[in-house]
Amino acid sequence: MTREDGQRAAPSIALEAGQQALLSVGSLKSPLSELPQSGADSLLVVSSTAPADLEDELATLDRDPRSVGHIPISGSDISYDGPMWTCDPLVPDDLTGLSMRLSTAMQGLEADRGWVMFDNLNVFLMYAREERVLRFLDHTMGLARERNLRGVYAVVADALDEQTYDVLRRTVDVELDRR
């Protein structure tokens, strides 16, 4: 597969049901572009991207937003009236509230087919203590594995210290570098 600029494009992410992956991306790259086309058929995205912008990004990638749920991470109120399921935004350090929303939202994903994507873990690491974020991720991955959901946890690895990245890498089944 080649891109418009003639460079060979990396294949989309291929995960078995229940696998959890750490995805390293560049600071300007959207991790959504790494999902296989079927990944948007039953997808939950945790993102600081506004719902309307996320819907536009999905359209650009030729993905149907009607099968996508979105948990927005923001300190501001968000108004959205579109086809994606969404909820009130959460601030990045409200990991308890996020855990409750994730638990409920994951029930709406198809077991064995669904995907959970965190498009930028760096946001959480900026606002909450690292130990809390790591415990939260361990819990989240456990929920995803119980439902046999694929999980993708994107980071801008170049913005993390090596020790933090190593700890994150040890919590997942697969490590992917798409920088």
mmCIF file of all heavy atoms in Angstrom, residues 47-83:
data_model
loop_
_atom_site.group_PDB
_atom_site.id
_atom_site.type_symbol
_atom_site.label_atom_id
_atom_site.label_comp_id
_atom_site.label_asym_id
_atom_site.label_seq_id
_atom_site.Cartn_x
_atom_site.Cartn_y
_atom_site.Cartn_z
ATOM 1 N N SER A 47 -11.412 11.097 24.035
ATOM 2 C CA SER A 47 -10.606 12.075 23.329
ATOM 3 C C SER A 47 -10.873 13.490 23.815
ATOM 4 O O SER A 47 -11.999 13.822 24.184
ATOM 5 C CB SER A 47 -10.934 11.985 21.831
ATOM 6 O OG SER A 47 -10.319 13.011 21.111
ATOM 7 N N SER A 48 -9.852 14.330 23.735
ATOM 8 C CA SER A 48 -10.037 15.750 24.022
ATOM 9 C C SER A 48 -10.502 16.506 22.783
ATOM 10 O O SER A 48 -10.715 17.715 22.838
ATOM 11 C CB SER A 48 -8.741 16.358 24.574
ATOM 12 O OG SER A 48 -7.685 16.174 23.651
ATOM 13 N N THR A 49 -10.701 15.808 21.701
ATOM 14 C CA THR A 49 -11.246 16.398 20.486
ATOM 15 C C THR A 49 -12.737 16.644 20.671
ATOM 16 O O THR A 49 -13.444 15.784 21.197
ATOM 17 C CB THR A 49 -11.021 15.442 19.286
ATOM 18 O OG1 THR A 49 -9.619 15.181 19.166
ATOM 19 C CG2 THR A 49 -11.566 16.026 18.003
ATOM 20 N N ALA A 50 -13.208 17.793 20.243
ATOM 21 C CA ALA A 50 -14.636 18.111 20.339
ATOM 22 C C ALA A 50 -15.427 17.132 19.475
ATOM 23 O O ALA A 50 -14.943 16.695 18.424
ATOM 24 C CB ALA A 50 -14.885 19.540 19.871
ATOM 25 N N PRO A 51 -16.643 16.764 19.886
ATOM 26 C CA PRO A 51 -17.429 15.791 19.128
ATOM 27 C C PRO A 51 -17.609 16.146 17.644
ATOM 28 O O PRO A 51 -17.465 15.278 16.775
ATOM 29 C CB PRO A 51 -18.778 15.760 19.857
ATOM 30 C CG PRO A 51 -18.457 16.183 21.245
ATOM 31 C CD PRO A 51 -17.333 17.174 21.117
ATOM 32 N N ALA A 52 -17.908 17.391 17.337
ATOM 33 C CA ALA A 52 -18.094 17.779 15.929
ATOM 34 C C ALA A 52 -16.799 17.585 15.139
ATOM 35 O O ALA A 52 -16.834 17.136 13.978
ATOM 36 C CB ALA A 52 -18.579 19.220 15.832
ATOM 37 N N ASP A 53 -15.663 17.899 15.746
ATOM 38 C CA ASP A 53 -14.379 17.711 15.070
ATOM 39 C C ASP A 53 -14.069 16.229 14.890
ATOM 40 O O ASP A 53 -13.527 15.817 13.861
ATOM 41 C CB ASP A 53 -13.257 18.392 15.845
ATOM 42 C CG ASP A 53 -13.399 19.904 15.859
ATOM 43 O OD1 ASP A 53 -14.084 20.465 14.975
ATOM 44 O OD2 ASP A 53 -12.831 20.538 16.784
ATOM 45 N N LEU A 54 -14.404 15.425 15.892
ATOM 46 C CA LEU A 54 -14.215 13.982 15.779
ATOM 47 C C LEU A 54 -15.089 13.419 14.657
ATOM 48 O O LEU A 54 -14.634 12.603 13.853
ATOM 49 C CB LEU A 54 -14.534 13.281 17.099
ATOM 50 C CG LEU A 54 -14.342 11.772 17.127
ATOM 51 C CD1 LEU A 54 -12.903 11.383 16.829
ATOM 52 C CD2 LEU A 54 -14.779 11.214 18.469
ATOM 53 N N GLU A 55 -16.324 13.877 14.575
ATOM 54 C CA GLU A 55 -17.216 13.443 13.498
ATOM 55 C C GLU A 55 -16.621 13.814 12.134
ATOM 56 O O GLU A 55 -16.639 13.002 11.204
ATOM 57 C CB GLU A 55 -18.600 14.062 13.658
ATOM 58 C CG GLU A 55 -19.567 13.603 12.588
ATOM 59 C CD GLU A 55 -20.924 14.269 12.689
ATOM 60 O OE1 GLU A 55 -21.279 14.813 13.746
ATOM 61 O OE2 GLU A 55 -21.637 14.240 11.672
ATOM 62 N N ASP A 56 -16.074 15.027 12.003
ATOM 63 C CA ASP A 56 -15.438 15.448 10.748
ATOM 64 C C ASP A 56 -14.245 14.558 10.405
ATOM 65 O O ASP A 56 -14.045 14.181 9.248
ATOM 66 C CB ASP A 56 -14.973 16.905 10.830
ATOM 67 C CG ASP A 56 -16.116 17.904 10.843
ATOM 68 O OD1 ASP A 56 -17.270 17.519 10.507
ATOM 69 O OD2 ASP A 56 -15.863 19.075 11.208
ATOM 70 N N GLU A 57 -13.467 14.218 11.415
ATOM 71 C CA GLU A 57 -12.300 13.355 11.191
ATOM 72 C C GLU A 57 -12.741 11.972 10.722
ATOM 73 O O GLU A 57 -12.155 11.395 9.807
ATOM 74 C CB GLU A 57 -11.477 13.248 12.470
ATOM 75 C CG GLU A 57 -10.204 12.469 12.295
ATOM 76 C CD GLU A 57 -9.350 12.446 13.541
ATOM 77 O OE1 GLU A 57 -9.607 13.204 14.497
ATOM 78 O OE2 GLU A 57 -8.415 11.621 13.552
ATOM 79 N N LEU A 58 -13.793 11.448 11.336
ATOM 80 C CA LEU A 58 -14.320 10.154 10.911
ATOM 81 C C LEU A 58 -14.798 10.221 9.455
ATOM 82 O O LEU A 58 -14.554 9.294 8.670
ATOM 83 C CB LEU A 58 -15.467 9.715 11.824
ATOM 84 C CG LEU A 58 -15.061 9.316 13.238
ATOM 85 C CD1 LEU A 58 -16.273 9.270 14.151
ATOM 86 C CD2 LEU A 58 -14.325 7.981 13.231
ATOM 87 N N ALA A 59 -15.456 11.321 9.088
ATOM 88 C CA ALA A 59 -15.927 11.480 7.707
ATOM 89 C C ALA A 59 -14.749 11.524 6.737
ATOM 90 O O ALA A 59 -14.794 10.911 5.667
ATOM 91 C CB ALA A 59 -16.777 12.735 7.581
ATOM 92 N N THR A 60 -13.691 12.218 7.122
ATOM 93 C CA THR A 60 -12.494 12.288 6.287
ATOM 94 C C THR A 60 -11.896 10.895 6.071
ATOM 95 O O THR A 60 -11.376 10.593 5.003
ATOM 96 C CB THR A 60 -11.441 13.209 6.942
ATOM 97 O OG1 THR A 60 -12.001 14.508 7.081
ATOM 98 C CG2 THR A 60 -10.163 13.272 6.134
ATOM 99 N N LEU A 61 -11.996 10.055 7.090
ATOM 100 C CA LEU A 61 -11.468 8.685 7.013
ATOM 101 C C LEU A 61 -12.487 7.709 6.415
ATOM 102 O O LEU A 61 -12.245 6.509 6.396
ATOM 103 C CB LEU A 61 -11.045 8.205 8.406
ATOM 104 C CG LEU A 61 -9.897 8.976 9.044
ATOM 105 C CD1 LEU A 61 -9.753 8.583 10.512
ATOM 106 C CD2 LEU A 61 -8.598 8.731 8.281
ATOM 107 N N ASP A 62 -13.628 8.244 5.978
ATOM 108 C CA ASP A 62 -14.705 7.441 5.392
ATOM 109 C C ASP A 62 -15.238 6.400 6.377
ATOM 110 O O ASP A 62 -15.442 5.239 6.034
ATOM 111 C CB ASP A 62 -14.233 6.771 4.092
ATOM 112 C CG ASP A 62 -15.398 6.299 3.245
ATOM 113 O OD1 ASP A 62 -16.486 6.900 3.345
ATOM 114 O OD2 ASP A 62 -15.235 5.309 2.502
ATOM 115 N N ARG A 63 -15.464 6.857 7.618
ATOM 116 C CA ARG A 63 -15.999 5.996 8.664
ATOM 117 C C ARG A 63 -17.358 6.522 9.091
ATOM 118 O O ARG A 63 -17.569 7.733 9.172
ATOM 119 C CB ARG A 63 -15.064 5.957 9.874
ATOM 120 C CG ARG A 63 -13.600 5.715 9.525
ATOM 121 C CD ARG A 63 -13.220 4.272 9.622
ATOM 122 N NE ARG A 63 -11.940 3.962 9.048
ATOM 123 C CZ ARG A 63 -10.802 3.909 9.695
ATOM 124 N NH1 ARG A 63 -10.747 4.195 10.966
ATOM 125 N NH2 ARG A 63 -9.711 3.567 9.070
ATOM 126 N N ASP A 64 -18.282 5.653 9.397
ATOM 127 C CA ASP A 64 -19.635 6.026 9.770
ATOM 128 C C ASP A 64 -19.690 6.424 11.245
ATOM 129 O O ASP A 64 -19.477 5.583 12.115
ATOM 130 C CB ASP A 64 -20.585 4.854 9.506
ATOM 131 C CG ASP A 64 -22.034 5.188 9.764
ATOM 132 O OD1 ASP A 64 -22.342 6.308 10.209
ATOM 133 O OD2 ASP A 64 -22.879 4.311 9.502
ATOM 134 N N PRO A 65 -20.003 7.680 11.550
ATOM 135 C CA PRO A 65 -20.024 8.110 12.960
ATOM 136 C C PRO A 65 -21.197 7.532 13.754
ATOM 137 O O PRO A 65 -21.185 7.591 14.981
ATOM 138 C CB PRO A 65 -20.133 9.639 12.858
ATOM 139 C CG PRO A 65 -20.742 9.890 11.535
ATOM 140 C CD PRO A 65 -20.286 8.771 10.634
ATOM 141 N N ARG A 66 -22.180 6.945 13.093
ATOM 142 C CA ARG A 66 -23.339 6.401 13.816
ATOM 143 C C ARG A 66 -22.980 5.198 14.677
ATOM 144 O O ARG A 66 -23.715 4.857 15.597
ATOM 145 C CB ARG A 66 -24.458 6.032 12.839
ATOM 146 C CG ARG A 66 -25.068 7.251 12.160
ATOM 147 C CD ARG A 66 -26.077 6.832 11.155
ATOM 148 N NE ARG A 66 -25.373 6.104 10.100
ATOM 149 C CZ ARG A 66 -25.919 5.668 8.985
ATOM 150 N NH1 ARG A 66 -27.189 5.850 8.773
ATOM 151 N NH2 ARG A 66 -25.213 5.039 8.080
ATOM 152 N N SER A 67 -21.864 4.556 14.402
ATOM 153 C CA SER A 67 -21.455 3.401 15.209
ATOM 154 C C SER A 67 -20.302 3.743 16.155
ATOM 155 O O SER A 67 -19.609 2.865 16.645
ATOM 156 C CB SER A 67 -21.065 2.243 14.291
ATOM 157 O OG SER A 67 -20.004 2.629 13.440
ATOM 158 N N VAL A 68 -20.124 5.040 16.403
ATOM 159 C CA VAL A 68 -19.027 5.510 17.246
ATOM 160 C C VAL A 68 -19.585 6.212 18.471
ATOM 161 O O VAL A 68 -20.490 7.033 18.377
ATOM 162 C CB VAL A 68 -18.107 6.476 16.460
ATOM 163 C CG1 VAL A 68 -17.008 7.037 17.355
ATOM 164 C CG2 VAL A 68 -17.504 5.769 15.246
ATOM 165 N N GLY A 69 -19.028 5.866 19.620
ATOM 166 C CA GLY A 69 -19.314 6.575 20.859
ATOM 167 C C GLY A 69 -18.129 7.448 21.212
ATOM 168 O O GLY A 69 -16.990 7.138 20.849
ATOM 169 N N HIS A 70 -18.387 8.538 21.911
ATOM 170 C CA HIS A 70 -17.313 9.471 22.242
ATOM 171 C C HIS A 70 -17.472 9.939 23.681
ATOM 172 O O HIS A 70 -18.549 10.395 24.069
ATOM 173 C CB HIS A 70 -17.388 10.670 21.286
ATOM 174 C CG HIS A 70 -16.362 11.718 21.553
ATOM 175 N ND1 HIS A 70 -16.672 13.051 21.568
ATOM 176 C CD2 HIS A 70 -15.033 11.650 21.815
ATOM 177 C CE1 HIS A 70 -15.577 13.750 21.819
ATOM 178 N NE2 HIS A 70 -14.571 12.922 21.973
ATOM 179 N N ILE A 71 -16.405 9.791 24.446
ATOM 180 C CA ILE A 71 -16.347 10.370 25.787
ATOM 181 C C ILE A 71 -15.376 11.533 25.689
ATOM 182 O O ILE A 71 -14.163 11.335 25.560
ATOM 183 C CB ILE A 71 -15.888 9.348 26.841
ATOM 184 C CG1 ILE A 71 -16.873 8.173 26.909
ATOM 185 C CG2 ILE A 71 -15.755 10.030 28.204
ATOM 186 C CD1 ILE A 71 -16.473 7.072 27.869
ATOM 187 N N PRO A 72 -15.918 12.772 25.696
ATOM 188 C CA PRO A 72 -15.049 13.939 25.550
ATOM 189 C C PRO A 72 -14.333 14.291 26.851
ATOM 190 O O PRO A 72 -14.923 14.233 27.931
ATOM 191 C CB PRO A 72 -15.998 15.057 25.126
ATOM 192 C CG PRO A 72 -17.367 14.603 25.507
ATOM 193 C CD PRO A 72 -17.330 13.118 25.674
ATOM 194 N N ILE A 73 -13.068 14.641 26.716
ATOM 195 C CA ILE A 73 -12.248 15.073 27.841
ATOM 196 C C ILE A 73 -11.988 16.567 27.633
ATOM 197 O O ILE A 73 -11.297 16.957 26.699
ATOM 198 C CB ILE A 73 -10.918 14.290 27.898
ATOM 199 C CG1 ILE A 73 -11.168 12.784 27.929
ATOM 200 C CG2 ILE A 73 -10.073 14.756 29.070
ATOM 201 C CD1 ILE A 73 -11.992 12.292 29.099
ATOM 202 N N SER A 74 -12.604 17.366 28.482
ATOM 203 C CA SER A 74 -12.508 18.810 28.304
ATOM 204 C C SER A 74 -12.940 19.508 29.588
ATOM 205 O O SER A 74 -13.782 18.997 30.320
ATOM 206 C CB SER A 74 -13.419 19.253 27.152
ATOM 207 O OG SER A 74 -13.453 20.655 27.044
ATOM 208 N N GLY A 75 -12.407 20.689 29.798
ATOM 209 C CA GLY A 75 -12.838 21.492 30.923
ATOM 210 C C GLY A 75 -13.991 22.411 30.558
ATOM 211 O O GLY A 75 -14.475 23.163 31.387
ATOM 212 N N SER A 76 -14.439 22.352 29.316
ATOM 213 C CA SER A 76 -15.506 23.235 28.839
ATOM 214 C C SER A 76 -16.751 22.440 28.501
ATOM 215 O O SER A 76 -16.678 21.258 28.164
ATOM 216 C CB SER A 76 -15.057 23.957 27.569
ATOM 217 O OG SER A 76 -13.851 24.620 27.762
ATOM 218 N N ASP A 77 -17.887 23.119 28.553
ATOM 219 C CA ASP A 77 -19.127 22.496 28.084
ATOM 220 C C ASP A 77 -19.047 22.335 26.572
ATOM 221 O O ASP A 77 -18.442 23.157 25.883
ATOM 222 C CB ASP A 77 -20.344 23.358 28.435
ATOM 223 C CG ASP A 77 -20.685 23.263 29.915
ATOM 224 O OD1 ASP A 77 -20.335 22.251 30.542
ATOM 225 O OD2 ASP A 77 -21.300 24.215 30.428
ATOM 226 N N ILE A 78 -19.670 21.284 26.098
ATOM 227 C CA ILE A 78 -19.637 20.990 24.672
ATOM 228 C C ILE A 78 -21.065 20.786 24.196
ATOM 229 O O ILE A 78 -21.843 20.066 24.814
ATOM 230 C CB ILE A 78 -18.805 19.717 24.406
ATOM 231 C CG1 ILE A 78 -17.354 19.954 24.789
ATOM 232 C CG2 ILE A 78 -18.914 19.299 22.960
ATOM 233 C CD1 ILE A 78 -16.476 18.732 24.716
ATOM 234 N N SER A 79 -21.375 21.417 23.082
ATOM 235 C CA SER A 79 -22.691 21.243 22.484
ATOM 236 C C SER A 79 -22.516 20.415 21.211
ATOM 237 O O SER A 79 -21.688 20.745 20.358
ATOM 238 C CB SER A 79 -23.295 22.607 22.149
ATOM 239 O OG SER A 79 -24.520 22.449 21.509
ATOM 240 N N TYR A 80 -23.272 19.338 21.104
ATOM 241 C CA TYR A 80 -23.173 18.477 19.929
ATOM 242 C C TYR A 80 -24.521 17.833 19.677
ATOM 243 O O TYR A 80 -25.142 17.302 20.594
ATOM 244 C CB TYR A 80 -22.110 17.389 20.147
ATOM 245 C CG TYR A 80 -22.031 16.376 19.032
ATOM 246 C CD1 TYR A 80 -21.482 16.715 17.802
ATOM 247 C CD2 TYR A 80 -22.504 15.082 19.198
ATOM 248 C CE1 TYR A 80 -21.413 15.787 16.770
ATOM 249 C CE2 TYR A 80 -22.434 14.152 18.179
ATOM 250 C CZ TYR A 80 -21.889 14.509 16.963
ATOM 251 O OH TYR A 80 -21.821 13.596 15.942
ATOM 252 N N ASP A 81 -24.965 17.899 18.443
ATOM 253 C CA ASP A 81 -26.220 17.275 18.050
ATOM 254 C C ASP A 81 -25.981 16.548 16.730
ATOM 255 O O ASP A 81 -26.347 17.027 15.668
ATOM 256 C CB ASP A 81 -27.318 18.334 17.897
ATOM 257 C CG ASP A 81 -28.663 17.713 17.608
ATOM 258 O OD1 ASP A 81 -28.888 16.558 18.023
ATOM 259 O OD2 ASP A 81 -29.487 18.376 16.944
ATOM 260 N N GLY A 82 -25.310 15.417 16.817
ATOM 261 C CA GLY A 82 -24.978 14.660 15.620
ATOM 262 C C GLY A 82 -25.231 13.187 15.836
ATOM 263 O O GLY A 82 -25.800 12.782 16.855
ATOM 264 N N PRO A 83 -24.771 12.368 14.906
ATOM 265 C CA PRO A 83 -25.082 10.937 14.944
ATOM 266 C C PRO A 83 -24.283 10.104 15.942
ATOM 267 O O PRO A 83 -24.671 8.985 16.259
ATOM 268 C CB PRO A 83 -24.787 10.485 13.516
ATOM 269 C CG PRO A 83 -23.757 11.440 13.025
ATOM 270 C CD PRO A 83 -24.080 12.755 13.684
#
